[in-house]
Amino acid sequence: MRSQLPLSRFSPLLGLLILSGCNTAYREAMSRAEDAAVRGDFLTAAIAYRSACAASPDDEKACSRAPVFARKATDNAIATARPACDAGDLDLCLPPLLATLDIMPGDPEVASMLEKASKLHAERCASQWKAEGPLSTALAEVACLQSRARQLPVPSYESLLTQRATQLSSRFASLAATAQAPSNAGAASVLWNAAKCLAPDANTTSRFEQARQSFLTQSAIPVSARIGGKMSPQISEQLSNLCERISGNLAPAARCAESGMMPGQPEPLEIYVSALIQRAVENVSEDIRRLNYVSGTRQVPNPSFRDARRDLKRIDQDIESTERRKKEKDAACQAPNRTHDASCVGCTESKTKSPCDEATELTESLKRLTRERNDARNHLDSIPETVTENVYDDFTYSVLTHRWASGYRFTVQASTPGSAPSAPQEGELRFEDVEHVGFGPAGLRPDPLEIPTSGTYANAFVQQVTPHVFAAVQQDSVARGAARRAQCSELPANWGLPWVQCWAESSLWQNGQEPQVNEFLGLLATSAGASAQPQCR
């Protein structure tokens, strides 16, 4: 006979299974941890045991193994990284060490190895690019230091990087301060932006914004746009400020010349729009509509009152009938000599109601009917004999739909050398409005006719012409930018304010956007032989 094992031997195991079976995160983490431990992947095991402990803080196995495997993973990482670190191969040295920072933060051996690696990399950057050298060389050193900033979370290294960036920012700010003339506004904007990029603070930010506004005012291409051709005088007057109407599409590379000209600014761009805007043709269509509304009220018999009065009449009839029957029974009850009912042969007295009994029952019925009659009368008194009923009527009215169409055609001609008039553009300016009377009783508000004004037609025409004017401005801006870029295509060894000004203006015109400081810093660092690109802080 098979013996039965005692349940008490399995109680702890069953408890663990029950608890772990209800905790999916714990179960999955433990599975990953044990698989990784078998493979000898101590790092994965440490991370998984830590996750299991977080999912089940009372689990002794997971919580005790997490620090053990963290220690093993850290020791293994140190052993793996040491040969590469000793050889100065930071690409193989740093990844194993960085992987341990999450599971074993503050390990002294890892911190020491990272400290040595940071000093080695800083020495390599300094040996190749001198911080005291030209701006491009100093910038290359900062870019070199930044390239491993994420891999070297060492306070001394971070302090060195901050120090170098701040020093370089001061040098850019000093050079920017020499760019006082309006002809150097672009250079000042770029250099102040570089100073702000490397060491942002209130001063560099404020100085950059001032220089930026001066640069855009000085170097944005002045645009003079005018329109002519055949159109009504009213529309022509509305379009006299064409450039101001489209100015939002010009910034930052161009601006309206109407805001004024200053010495040293670019040659204005003249744009002429030759347009034909025909007289509007109006078409009107009529639609007959009907609106059902409450025109009044009237009094009609109340069905509830009718039913209540009918019920009261029925109760009165029942009372009258019951009183008549009771009177007959009372008379029979008072008769001196009652005879046996011959029609009830074989009946006994106990099975036949006497007239007196029936009279008593009828008395009770009369009481009940009397109460019902009182209730019916009260109910009838509470109901109005008539009710108010809405009277509906139809209001018929006409809706007039007005449609206006004005044909247009235009071409755009810019003063850009070698440019030809644009292909003719044509279409119609269309508008629509409805009108109808109002009728207060039906709640219909009047909809008066709104006839398009000359300003309405002018606004619609501007929407059509703006993309073509902007395209002409953009074409001219790109051409100017390319011509300006040819004057500063290469960064000279002894570059200065004139080259930066040239680069800023060519970037503004050719790209249609403000000069990008990362691109400028990248040019400088690359010219010094740096492979890493400087990053703004």
Side-chain angles (χ1 to χ4, degrees):
M1 180 177 178
R2 181 177 299 174
S3 61
Q4 187 175 5
L5 295 175
L7 183 62
S8 60
R9 292 179 54 187
F10 300 98
S11 296
L13 178 61
L14 287 175
L16 178 62
L17 291 175
I18 292 172
L19 290 175
S20 62
C22 297
N23 192 332
T24 303
Y26 167 84
R27 187 171 62 254
E28 293 178 350
M30 285 296 289
S31 177
R32 292 195 307 272
E34 293 174 351
D35 289 345
V38 171
R39 296 193 311 269
D41 185 355
F42 299 146
L43 178 62
T44 301
I47 295 173
Y49 276 128
R50 185 177 62 180
S51 299
C53 180
S56 181
D58 296 331
D59 183 71
E60 182 180 357
K61 180 180 180 180
C63 296
S64 63
R65 289 191 176 187
V68 173
F69 278 87
R71 181 70 266 170
K72 289 183 177 182
T74 302
D75 293 341
N76 188 57
I78 292 173
T80 301
R82 191 177 300 281
C85 293
D86 292 341
D89 187 351
L90 299 186
D91 290 334
L92 297 179
C93 163
L94 295 176
L97 300 177
L98 294 174
T100 68
L101 295 180
D102 183 47
I103 61 169
M104 187 69 73
D107 181 80
E109 184 63 22
V110 172
S112 175
M113 294 177 71
L114 288 175
E115 178 76 27
K116 292 178 181 178
S118 68
K119 290 181 179 179
L120 175 61
H121 184 65
E123 291 171 358
R124 288 176 176 176
C125 294
S127 65
Q128 192 169 2
W129 298 286
K130 300 297 182 181
E132 299 78 12
L135 275 174
S136 56
T137 302
L139 184 60
E141 186 207 18
V142 170
C144 178
L145 293 173
Q146 288 179 333
S147 66
R148 290 197 184 273
R150 293 180 179 273
Q151 294 181 309
L152 295 169
V154 179
S156 60
Y157 186 82
E158 294 172 348
S159 176
L160 174 64
L161 179 54
T162 300
Q163 178 186 4
R164 290 287 192 269
T166 302
Q167 291 173 350
L168 189 56
S169 172
S170 297
R171 295 179 64 182
F172 275 111
S174 298
L175 182 58
T178 65
Q180 299 292 337
S183 59
N184 290 326
S189 175
V190 171
L191 294 171
W192 278 117
N193 200 7
K196 179 177 75 73
C197 166
L198 294 168
D201 60 26
N203 179 58
T204 54
T205 300
S206 175
R207 296 296 295 270
F208 163 65
E209 289 297 334
Q210 295 174 10
R212 171 180 172 271
Q213 292 299 328
S214 299
F215 169 53
L216 295 179
T217 301
Q218 181 69 24
S219 295
I221 301 171
V223 177
S224 176
R226 58 190 182 89
I227 188 169
K230 296 181 179 180
M231 64 194 75
S232 70
Q234 294 81 3
I235 295 179
S236 177
E237 182 181 359
Q238 291 286 335
L239 295 174
S240 60
N241 60 341
L242 178 61
C243 186
E244 295 297 331
R245 285 175 170 268
I246 64 174
S247 59
N249 296 278
L250 302 180
R255 63 176 182 83
C256 291
E258 286 79 357
S259 58
M261 294 289 296
M262 293 186 294
Q265 291 185 325
E267 188 71 20
L269 171 63
E270 301 285 343
I271 293 182
Y272 177 72
V273 179
S274 177
L276 167 65
I277 304 178
Q278 298 176 337
R279 185 181 299 275
V281 175
E282 180 182 7
N283 290 312
V284 183
S285 60
E286 184 179 17
D287 178 27
I288 303 300
R289 299 181 185 178
R290 289 179 175 82
L291 181 63
N292 189 253
Y293 70 100
V294 177
S295 61
T297 59
R298 61 184 177 185
Q299 296 298 120
V300 296
N302 187 350
S304 299
F305 182 85
R306 178 195 59 202
D307 295 341
R309 185 167 55 185
R310 181 193 60 203
D311 293 341
L312 179 60
K313 183 177 180 181
R314 176 183 57 76
I315 294 173
D316 285 338
Q317 291 174 349
D318 291 345
I319 289 177
E320 182 179 350
S321 173
T322 302
E323 287 177 341
R324 185 171 58 252
R325 290 169 54 202
K326 180 179 182 301
K327 185 176 181 180
E328 293 174 355
K329 295 301 180 180
D330 287 339
C333 178
Q334 295 174 3
N337 295 316
R338 291 188 295 136
T339 60
H340 179 70
D341 190 351
S343 63
C344 184
V345 179
C347 294
T348 64
E349 289 295 328
S350 60
K351 295 182 180 180
T352 304
K353 291 182 179 181
S354 67
C356 295
D357 293 336
E358 292 181 349
T360 301
E361 291 179 355
L362 291 173
T363 300
E364 294 300 323
S365 297
L366 280 174
K367 293 179 180 179
R368 175 179 57 78
L369 289 172
T370 301
R371 289 194 300 271
E372 291 180 1
R373 181 173 61 184
N374 293 335
D375 293 341
R377 284 175 177 172
N378 293 333
H379 179 58
L380 181 63
D381 292 341
S382 67
I383 300 175
E385 188 172 354
T386 61
V387 293
T388 303
E389 182 181 74
N390 289 334
V391 177
Y392 291 89
D393 202 352
D394 288 334
F395 174 68
T396 303
Y397 64 102
S398 64
V399 177
L400 300 180
T401 301
H402 299 254
R403 296 180 176 87
W404 297 269
S406 172
Y408 68 85
R409 184 173 66 253
F410 67 86
T411 59
V412 178
Q413 172 69 62
S415 62
T416 307
S419 66
S422 67
Q425 304 295 320
E426 58 184 21
E428 285 188 333
L429 307 176
R430 297 177 178 272
F431 303 96
E432 180 177 313
D433 193 40
V434 299
E435 67 168 328
H436 60 73
V437 298
F439 187 61
L444 179 66
R445 294 184 177 182
D447 189 350
L449 178 64
E450 296 183 6
I451 301 175
T453 64
S454 57
T456 307
Y457 285 99
N459 291 337
F461 182 76
V462 167
Q463 292 180 3
Q464 301 300 321
V465 79
T466 294
H468 300 276
V469 173
F470 177 66
V473 173
Q474 191 175 35
Q475 181 180 3
D476 180 86
S477 180
V478 171
R480 295 191 192 207
R484 189 75 165 106
R485 180 74 72 182
Q487 302 172 10
C488 50
S489 57
E490 299 292 337
L491 178 68
N494 58 342
W495 62 271
L497 296 182
W499 185 89
V500 181
Q501 178 70 24
C502 174
W503 180 85
E505 288 184 339
S506 61
S507 298
L508 176 67
W509 298 338
Q510 194 168 23
N511 301 327
Q513 62 181 5
E514 297 179 36
Q516 302 299 299
V517 68
N518 284 333
E519 181 183 353
F520 171 70
L521 295 178
L523 286 174
L524 297 186
T526 301
S527 70
S531 57
Q533 296 297 301
Q535 302 297 322
C536 290
R537 295 176 59 201

